[in-house]
Amino acid sequence: MPALPFTCLDDYDPEALSVSRARQFLLDTVQPVAGHERLFVREALGRVLAEDVISPVDVPAHDNSAMDGWAVRHADLSPAGETRLKIVGTAFAGRPCEAKVGAGETARIMTGAMIPEGADCVVIQEVVRVEGKTIIVPPGQKPAQNIRRAGEDLQAGKPAIPAGKRLRPAELGVIASLGIAEISVRRRVRVALFSTGDELISLGMPLTPGAVYDSNRYTLWGMLTRLGCEVIDMGVVKDDPVALEAAFREAAACSDAIVTSGGVSVGEADFVKQLMARLGEVAFWKIAMKPGKPMAFGRIGQGKESAWLFGLPGNPVAVMVTFYQFVRPALMKLMGLDPLPHLPTFAARCTAPIKKGPGRTEFQRGILFRDNDEWCVRPTGHQGSGMLSSMAHADCFIVLEADRGKVEAGERVLVQPFEGLV
Ligand code: AMP
Ligand code: MG
């Protein structure tokens, strides 16, 4: 296995790797997975396009009317007064119009109908008076008005959607509008998932004294599934070197990436570090952030039986924060997304004070609301990194930059909405 470029981080303070540097390292290191499959358009919702979709046709295929109205020859219209024109036919959407529009003539035209031969302008029906077999058009009509040109949406032979795009409902519609029924998408990224900890109990078992239910596997399963990954849930693994080694080998053999929670904090990392050194190349980072300071990243296994490893902390909020700040962008790169979308970030007025010292980036949980035409954010009560309810109540992260000190009520802070993500 080629060595991972960890040496480029050699100058980092071992007590504090910055959030942006850690994220950039992940993005520079992982590469998109190889492998395509062909799918029917609907099955491809949420998948990443593997090849450009080239438009086989012009869309629209012909000049057509943008409005219900009257197809006319602009040169016939009097610039100063009303013009009377003779009705010679009707142009319906979906079939060519039989009538030709000659000098002094007009045809009734429906939205989407092909412009009849001879006509070059559409007058909307609301301004026209009909008198028997004629119409009266007021002055002030512009040349070529209300006409959609052939190819104005998409041109034959040009890429309609570039490779690397995630297929949303809009892209499915564009593909369908080209008459294409099947497309090539990248295969799903396979992610193996397990929790570590002797204290963890799986659902369905009684809670023994001192034990906690394993919640991280549920939040991680949800986040990975929403991202569009194929999730391989390997359950809970005890803090035992033999069990952990077996789990890592099995995970590496069947996945592109492994996401674990727990076992990377100082007390536990030592035996995990020795194990990782045997299995591959993994760095244990202390990231200058709260929550989510300890994190492991690297590659474990051999050849085809190897996978990226994201070892997340055990605290449930830290799991979600580190997933969104690091694992999500890295997995998006593995999925082949190009360009990588950022979580939208904007400034909002914070309605309560927040305690903070400079040195670490903090990701507090907040609730966004509108007040007097301004976006405001209210922190969700207790912010302990084990308080998962703070995530459940929140709809955004409040991102407090590393060098920032405490926040007074009324100051502006950066927020990242996570609606639709968590
Ligand atoms: P660790 O990083 O393993 O030291 O765990 C830190 C804290 O997170 C401890 O209080 C653990 O009990 C808790 N924790 C670890 N894993 C999980 C999990 N899968 N579900 C819920 N809590 C967890
Ligand atoms: Mg643990």
Side-chain angles (χ1 to χ4, degrees):
M1 181 171 58
L4 295 182
F6 285 125
T7 48
C8 76
L9 293 176
D10 275 355
D11 61 335
Y12 102 84
D13 171 359
E15 292 302 310
L17 176 60
S18 78
V19 171
S20 55
R21 193 126 180 245
R23 185 190 298 123
Q24 197 56 52
F25 181 84
L26 299 179
L27 292 178
D28 291 344
T29 307
V30 305
Q31 296 304 329
V33 296
H36 301 173
E37 58 183 317
R38 286 190 74 75
L39 292 181
F40 289 119
V41 176
R42 278 189 199 172
E43 293 169 344
L45 180 64
R47 301 293 291 272
V48 179
L49 198 59
E51 294 161 0
D52 291 350
V53 172
I54 305 291
S55 181
V57 290
D58 280 337
V59 177
H62 27 68
D63 293 356
N64 69 87
S65 179
M67 304 293 281
D68 287 340
W70 298 89
V72 304
R73 299 158 74 107
H74 189 263
D76 286 349
L77 304 180
S78 154
E82 293 186 331
T83 307
R84 186 178 290 270
L85 299 170
K86 183 172 156 225
I87 303 174
V88 294
T90 304
F92 292 100
R95 55 186 143 109
C97 177
E98 280 154 23
K100 279 189 198 160
V101 176
E105 294 177 345
T106 185
R108 176 100 175 90
I109 191 162
M110 308 303 169
T111 303
M114 287 170 74
I115 303 297
E117 210 180 312
D120 57 11
C121 170
V122 171
V123 182
I124 59 170
Q125 61 186 10
E126 289 79 358
V127 302
V128 167
R129 280 197 329 275
V130 182
E131 285 182 4
K133 296 250 164 36
T134 63
I135 64 167
I136 292 149
V137 180
Q141 311 304 322
K142 298 194 182 65
Q145 68 184 14
N146 301 320
I147 294 180
R148 302 174 186 145
R149 291 292 171 203
E152 87 178 10
D153 190 0
L154 302 165
Q155 293 88 50
K158 299 237 175 86
I161 308 177
K165 194 93 203 289
R166 169 131 38 190
L167 300 172
R168 305 166 304 168
E171 282 78 21
L172 296 193
V174 169
I175 292 165
S177 77
L178 301 175
I180 296 175
E182 238 185 63
I183 42 171
S184 180
V185 297
R186 283 190 186 262
R187 73 165 173 81
R188 279 187 202 280
V189 169
R190 278 190 290 275
V191 182
L193 167 64
F194 60 87
S195 299
T196 69
D198 288 340
E199 76 281 27
L200 301 179
I201 303 276
S202 291
L203 293 189
M205 308 291 283
L207 200 60
T208 48
V212 291
Y213 280 118
D214 172 12
S215 62
N216 290 342
R217 233 161 11 103
Y218 289 82
T219 51
L220 282 168
W221 176 86
M223 295 187 291
L224 289 164
T225 302
R226 280 213 166 163
L227 197 53
C229 298
E230 192 181 312
V231 185
I232 302 154
D233 183 348
M234 296 178 53
V236 174
V237 179
K238 295 278 178 208
D239 289 320
D240 160 55
V242 177
L244 275 173
E245 178 162 351
F248 277 117
R249 285 192 192 282
E250 188 189 332
C254 69
S255 69
D256 303 299
I258 305 166
V259 180
T260 64
S261 74
V264 291
S265 53
V266 177
E268 298 178 301
D270 287 346
F271 90 83
V272 182
K273 267 185 188 158
Q274 290 163 14
L275 175 65
M276 294 292 176
R278 265 210 316 283
L279 291 175
E281 202 185 350
V282 175
F284 285 76
W285 287 339
K286 287 181 184 157
I287 302 178
M289 69 188 285
K290 187 182 166 188
K293 184 176 179 189
M295 193 180 132
F297 169 70
R299 193 152 178 95
I300 59 173
Q302 298 288 322
K304 276 192 161 29
E305 309 222 316
S306 64
W308 298 108
L309 169 75
F310 300 92
L312 306 185
N315 274 312
V317 179
V319 165
M320 297 194 80
V321 172
T322 47
F323 185 89
Y324 279 114
Q325 300 305 320
F326 303 112
V327 185
R328 180 175 184 267
L331 289 177
M332 286 177 140
K333 174 122 187 243
L334 280 179
M335 291 163 76
L337 276 170
D338 178 40
L340 287 176
H342 287 284
L343 285 181
T345 306
F346 60 90
R349 187 162 56 80
C350 190
T351 55
I354 303 177
K355 282 194 217 138
K356 180 184 183 294
R360 298 193 286 184
T361 307
E362 282 201 27
F363 296 88
Q364 300 233 347
R365 278 71 66 203
I367 299 167
L368 281 167
F369 61 98
R370 291 284 286 175
D371 180 36
N372 282 330
D373 280 343
E374 186 187 17
W375 281 109
C376 298
V377 64
R378 180 172 66 243
T380 56
H382 290 294
Q383 298 275 334
S385 64
M387 306 264 264
L388 198 51
S389 61
S390 71
M391 266 319 271
H393 292 145
D395 58 14
C396 70
F397 288 125
I398 301 172
V399 187
L400 303 174
E401 304 88 327
D403 51 9
R404 182 160 189 162
K406 66 179 190 304
V407 176
E408 306 287 359
E411 276 182 36
R412 289 171 83 72
V413 291
L414 290 178
V415 293
Q416 278 178 346
F418 49 54
E419 221 24 71
L421 295 176
V422 294

